[in-house]
Amino acid sequence: MTTKAAKPAVVHPREVAKRLGVSRGTLRRCGQDFSRTVEQIADLLSDKPQWLIDGQAATAARKRQQRDAAALRERRDQQESDRAQRMLWAYKDGYAG
């Protein structure tokens, strides 16, 4: 009985992007949007090419910008809620007096 060598695990481009810490669009723009094996991904992470370094930096900047925008929206929503609450209290105080 012969045993077959196990095929290397092939990873979908979406999962490749996730494991590399970049967007799938970054992979497309760099011409790297194709399936890879787990070993190839590990090789890329151990010896990062310039496109990967740039892509990770761009992805981190985009996430930071999105996080900052969400925090700003949350702060504005809270301010609006506080303003509405103060107006309600003022309205009730006007009728209570």
Side-chain angles (χ1 to χ4, degrees):
M1 183 165 147
T2 61
T3 59
K4 289 185 177 179
K7 283 187 175 179
V10 177
V11 180
H12 188 274
R14 182 175 36 247
E15 182 66 22
V16 171
K18 182 179 177 182
R19 289 183 184 196
L20 293 176
V22 296
S23 67
R24 182 130 182 241
T26 298
L27 291 179
R28 271 192 220 109
R29 283 189 296 277
C30 297
Q32 302 293 322
D33 189 31
F34 49 86
S35 298
R36 296 181 186 271
T37 64
V38 174
E39 292 82 19
Q40 290 172 327
I41 295 170
D43 290 343
L44 282 173
L45 288 173
S46 65
D47 187 26
K48 294 181 182 181
Q50 190 60 42
W51 66 264
L52 181 55
I53 295 168
D54 295 343
Q56 287 174 333
T59 299
R62 186 172 46 260
K63 285 182 179 181
R64 186 171 40 256
Q65 183 182 20
Q66 290 172 346
R67 187 178 57 243
D68 292 347
L72 181 60
R73 281 192 303 275
E74 180 68 30
R75 189 168 35 245
R76 285 182 183 162
D77 288 349
Q78 186 61 46
Q79 288 172 346
E80 181 63 27
S81 176
D82 293 347
R83 183 177 152 282
Q85 188 64 44
R86 285 192 304 273
M87 289 177 66
L88 179 63
W89 288 336
Y91 179 77
K92 287 181 178 180
D93 286 347
Y95 282 108

